[in-house]
Amino acid sequence: MKKKKLSRGSKQAQQDVHSSRRVFTRRALLLIAAQTGILSLLANRLYKLQITEGDKYIKMAKNNLISKRLLSPPRGSIYDRYGDVLANNKISWRALLIPEETSNLSDVIERFSQFITLDEHDYARIQWAVDHQRRFIPIMLKDFLSWDEMAMIEVNSPTLPGVLIDTGTKRVYPTGPLLAHLVGYVAPPNEKDVAANSFLALPGIRVGRAGIENTQDDVLQGKAGEVEVEVDSVGRIITTIGRKESVQGQDIQLAVDMQLQQDVVNLIGEESASAVVLNCQNGEVMAMVSNPSFDPSLFDSGVSHAQWKAWMTDERNPLMDKAVAGLYPPGSTFKPAVGLGALEAGTINENVRINCPGYYDYGGTRFHCWNKYGHGSLNLHEALKYSCDVYFYEVARRTGMEAIHKTCQKLGLGVSLPIELTHVKAGLIPTPAWREKHGHHWNIGDTIVSGIGQGFVHVSPLQLATYTARMATGKMINPHLVRARDHNLIPEANSEFWKPIDIKPEFLKMVRSGMYAVVNEPRGSGAKAKIDYNGILLAGKTGTAQVKRVSRALRESGHFNSANLPWKYRPHALFICFAPYDNPQYAISVVVEHGNAAASVAAPLAKNIMLKTLQRDPANKATRAEQTKPEEPEEPKPSDQ
């Protein structure tokens, strides 16, 4: 019995062992299968990474090691018509501090300030860089160092760990204030500039803020270069791999004659005034002065608070370009435009005569002529010669402002001229529709006073010069400053580029004849502008524009003298002219702010400017672009064979 029981127990144990072995084997197989699957997935992934997509990840890895960085291009230069430099670049020194190369930033900055003065702006800028930049990125301590300042830093370099001298460029204007309004100036880009164009974030980049520097900024900027550097995991440069130099911006040549510009400034002297000299044949600006002026280089290195306050409190407005942004009542210089408008409208002809008793009564209002004794019976030629107010009061009333406005637009008055400058103002030649648009009724009296360039009529000196040039030549010229880019003349420099103005030549001839009489015939109102230079004759027109209304009682009292008024209440003195009369080459406009009497102030000034212009005759001399123009290749000669 016992034997039997033992046999059964042994058999059961054996069965249990076999069962356990089967379970273990299945688990092992499952584990092996799982491992094999995982290894297969890993192998497949490795195959893709190394074989199928290997090139992609190699490229990505290289990008992690190689960084491409842009290089700032040098800014193009600006020259006058003969190659004199108006704006270019000068190497400057600046002090940089690399934070990771010093253990105590504050101590180094404090020691540096003992040698080189740092103002509040400098400290604020440096602190911002310390707080926001990585320690291996240089911080600019001071820009535009002088030679002595640089030498001081070098001598004391052992006590200034992490400080080094670097080179940059500074925009310089050799002519200073002489051409500041035309050339303009540059300044560091602001956050808005950088947001619009990341190129401007490059170190050393400057942005044109006014004048040619602004309107031609994209041409002057150039193209950025590129350097490939190997960097570590945090972006620190290890070595330079490749370099593509930046391309300097294009050079620009202006039509301006720098020496003529200087002559005009000298003639204006201390007056608050503007003057424009145009080439009648192609619209080139030979000189354009706004006096007083300013030093444009101050904007590159920073304008002090004291300097800015001085500019802002100067009643002569040195920062404003009076030639394009100054708007003035044209006074009697507007009378040729009124005459042309009337001729075009058919309300007068060369024989129509109007009587001037010294005043003009209309609707219960008396409008005075400058000559209280009157001019008697006048035609257009005589009315221009004597600058009779009554004649043009009546002509304006007959013609209407709509017709006068239409002619003025053809002449360049009351329109925004497309010159390469900023802040160019269009002025105003008013019409009844304009007045009503602003919620007011247009009166006949508004038309009458507009006939002598008063009331709402306002124009700029540039418009006056353009208007004079168009009348003189009958060409629809537009004023322009740029003559050439990288020695290539622009199409507008050719006089054949400009089309005839849409005004009958005989009408222009009548007005030119009247302007000739103003200067050259006996008792003409602009006799002080008469020139005597190689038989050349000048034609012109005076203008005295009131800025403060004079009451009828005061005017008729016989005691009024505008010269006794405070400066800001005196009339403006204006003069427009062209020469030579029989072959117009130059047109000039002059506005002397509060100069009082045009005949005795503006006319002689314009005469002297014209004499300087004729003596230099810049329109008929070879310019820098023409002197350096590449020679045309010779035609191949036929072979002897």
Side-chain angles (χ1 to χ4, degrees), residues 331-345 347-348 380 384 391-397 399-401 403-405 407-408 411 413 429 447-453 457 467 471 511:
S332 295
T333 63
F334 190 60
K335 290 173 180 175
V338 175
L340 280 170
L343 289 168
E344 284 203 286
T347 54
I348 64 166
L380 177 61
L384 287 171
Y391 180 93
F392 289 99
Y393 288 146
E394 175 61 13
V395 166
R397 186 195 66 78
T399 307
M401 281 308 298
I404 294 172
H405 178 272
T407 299
C408 285
L411 296 169
L413 299 174
I429 306 299
T447 301
I448 291 171
V449 296
S450 295
I452 63 166
V457 181
Y467 146 64
M471 287 193 297
V511 171

Side-chain angles (χ1 to χ4, degrees), residues 15-194:
Q15 289 176 351
D16 291 343
V17 169
H18 286 307
S19 177
S20 298
R21 286 177 178 173
R22 283 197 299 272
V23 170
F24 176 78
T25 301
R26 284 197 299 272
R27 289 177 178 174
L29 289 173
L30 288 171
L31 182 60
I32 291 170
Q35 290 175 338
T36 302
I38 292 170
L39 289 172
S40 297
L41 289 172
L42 289 172
N44 182 59
R45 184 58 180 158
L46 286 171
Y47 179 82
K48 285 185 176 181
L49 289 172
Q50 296 184 5
I51 307 300
T52 308
E53 300 178 351
D55 291 341
K56 171 185 173 182
Y57 289 103
I58 289 172
K59 189 174 181 180
M60 288 176 67
K62 285 184 177 180
N63 286 338
N64 285 336
L65 294 173
I66 299 173
S67 174
K68 292 184 179 180
R69 302 186 179 186
L70 297 178
L71 299 173
S72 304
R75 195 171 177 84
S77 298
I78 302 174
Y79 301 90
D80 86 334
R81 67 188 296 111
Y82 300 125
D84 289 319
V85 176
L86 307 181
N88 63 359
N89 306 311
K90 179 182 179 182
I91 296 296
S92 65
W93 294 286
R94 54 193 177 193
L96 304 180
L97 170 62
I98 303 177
E100 71 174 1
E101 294 185 4
T102 180
S103 58
N104 192 328
L105 275 175
S106 299
D107 185 52
V108 172
I109 295 170
E110 181 61 31
R111 280 202 297 272
F112 180 87
S113 67
Q114 294 174 4
F115 307 117
I116 308 297
T117 302
L118 298 175
D119 58 27
E120 292 182 6
H121 175 74
D122 292 323
Y123 279 114
R125 174 179 47 77
I126 293 168
Q127 188 59 52
W128 185 93
V130 170
D131 296 338
H132 293 83
Q133 293 181 181
R134 293 187 176 183
R135 286 180 59 80
F136 61 85
I137 298 177
I139 296 171
M140 188 178 72
L141 295 178
K142 196 72 174 180
D143 206 352
F144 308 121
L145 296 172
S146 67
W147 177 268
D148 291 339
E149 289 174 328
M150 185 193 68
M152 179 71 73
I153 295 170
E154 292 287 6
V155 168
N156 292 279
S157 59
T159 66
L160 298 169
V163 175
L164 57 90
I165 299 296
D166 185 37
T167 57
T169 60
K170 179 181 180 180
R171 196 66 164 170
V172 293
Y173 302 95
T175 60
L178 181 63
L179 286 146
H181 293 103
L182 302 189
V183 175
Y185 56 87
V186 296
N190 55 38
E191 292 181 6
K192 185 178 179 181
D193 295 325
V194 175

